[in-house]
Amino acid sequence: MKGTRGMLVVFEGLDRSGKSTQCEKLVQTLRNEGERVEHMRFPNRTTPVGQIINNYLTGEIQQEDHVIHLLFSANRWESAQAIENHIKSGTTVIIDRYSYSGCVYSAAKQNKTMDLAWCRHPEEGLPRPDLCLFLDLSSEEAAKRGGFGTERYEKQDLQARVRDLYAEMGQHPEEREDIVVINAGRSIEELQRDILKVVQVSSRQLDTHGRELR
Ligand code: ADP
Ligand code: DGP
Ligand code: NA
Ligand code: NA
């Protein structure tokens, strides 16, 4: 794909919706086409902040809701400059979860002082994705898939609220244009084809409208 900068594409969805599977396939496909692609994921559990998050998710430690929210956000800010540098140098960046997760998982806790608007604030100023692929699957379908139920948020009632909050974010003027809803209840191959098409369309739109950073 021509152009002066790389695209920023993020995958979002419930736990077990197929994000990591599709993220890897897209990275491979684009690399096979000769594109430079950087593959990232959040939370990035390898940094000191990420290790605290990991211990929280596995249940080894507790954290106050606002504190862990800000740490998840800090974990993205740790990589913000790197993301921007990659994009500017013409590398496509594909990320497994981003700010949308940051907002909906925290808002799903129903803490009185943490509505969606509050949860958005620490995310403001992070590199803005060109495209957010939301892999949409019901919490019932997600629960049927392998491995569900080991980490902190992998409970069906919370996941159901997360899905509703993703839908709410999809209506918001800030994110509406960036989100494409993908029906994730189909085969891996079907999804892969659909996702590639959406990415190609989005890339052509960038070529038409200019690739300056947003
Ligand atoms: P996520 O990253 O969203 O948690 P994964 O890609 O890890 O999801 O997939 C979760 C589980 O579901 C894995 O066992 C994976 O093999 C399986 N899976 C992924 N995509 C599909 C699909 N389209 N249909 C059925 N099972 C899938
Ligand atoms: P995984 O994507 O499988 O590595 O799981 C990460 C878990 O953490 C998953 O349940 C979603 C949740 N999560 C991801 N990002 C954030 C965030 O920024 N804030 C909160 N509260 N939870 C997040
Ligand atoms: Na998970
Ligand atoms: Na994953």
Side-chain angles (χ1 to χ4, degrees):
M1 291 175 223
K2 67 173 163 51
T4 52
R5 73 160 172 99
M7 272 178 88
L8 176 52
V9 178
V10 308
F11 282 85
E12 287 284 358
L14 300 187
D15 293 83
R16 309 288 175 246
S17 58
K19 296 178 302 302
S20 294
T21 302
Q22 293 301 326
C23 206
E24 254 157 56
K25 291 202 178 289
L26 181 62
V27 168
Q28 274 316 321
T29 303
L30 295 180
R31 281 184 183 155
N32 290 344
E33 289 175 359
E35 215 171 304
R36 267 183 297 144
V37 180
E38 187 70 21
H39 183 183
M40 302 173 91
R41 68 177 307 159
F42 293 113
N44 170 8
R45 303 188 194 213
T46 66
T47 71
V49 170
Q51 280 160 24
I52 299 174
I53 293 171
N54 181 62
N55 292 339
Y56 172 78
L57 287 172
T58 58
E60 280 164 67
I61 58 166
Q62 305 302 319
Q63 283 287 349
E64 197 276 333
D65 290 345
H66 302 75
V67 172
I68 197 66
H69 179 77
L70 294 171
L71 288 176
F72 270 109
S73 184
N75 187 238
R76 284 181 282 278
W77 277 105
E78 291 183 299
S79 294
Q81 192 61 59
I83 293 171
E84 205 170 305
N85 291 346
H86 282 307
I87 296 168
K88 280 182 176 161
S89 75
T91 300
T92 295
V93 177
I94 298 180
I95 315 182
D96 197 336
R97 291 197 187 276
Y98 200 57
S99 298
Y100 313 87
S101 288
C103 297
V104 296
Y105 281 83
S106 287
K109 293 175 182 175
Q110 299 177 308
N111 185 311
K112 282 190 178 61
T113 60
M114 293 179 72
D115 62 7
L116 213 42
W118 189 92
C119 291
R120 263 195 192 90
H121 286 307
E123 307 297 319
E124 278 171 18
L126 284 170
R128 182 167 166 185
D130 297 296
L131 176 63
C132 169
L133 296 157
F134 173 56
L135 302 195
D136 192 30
L137 192 67
S138 71
S139 57
E140 291 82 7
E141 288 299 314
K144 285 184 203 153
R145 292 188 177 174
F148 193 84
T150 53
E151 285 202 331
R152 183 178 293 265
Y153 296 138
E154 295 176 352
K155 301 183 190 90
Q156 218 176 299
D157 54 340
L158 186 124
Q159 296 281 328
R161 287 202 297 279
V162 165
R163 190 186 189 207
D164 291 344
L165 285 158
Y166 268 125
E168 196 178 325
M169 279 193 93
Q171 303 300 313
H172 194 274
E174 272 297 304
E175 290 94 14
R176 193 169 53 204
E177 297 161 33
D178 308 340
I179 297 178
V180 173
V181 179
I182 306 279
N183 168 10
R186 295 171 291 164
S187 73
I188 290 176
E189 294 70 26
E190 230 178 309
L191 280 167
Q192 198 182 342
R193 278 194 298 272
D194 196 8
I195 286 168
L196 186 61
K197 269 191 216 149
V198 172
V199 170
Q200 285 166 340
V201 167
S202 179
S203 176
R204 279 197 296 273
Q205 279 172 352
L206 270 183
D207 286 336
T208 308
H209 298 296
R211 284 184 176 246
E212 53 278 357
L213 287 175
R214 302 203 286 165

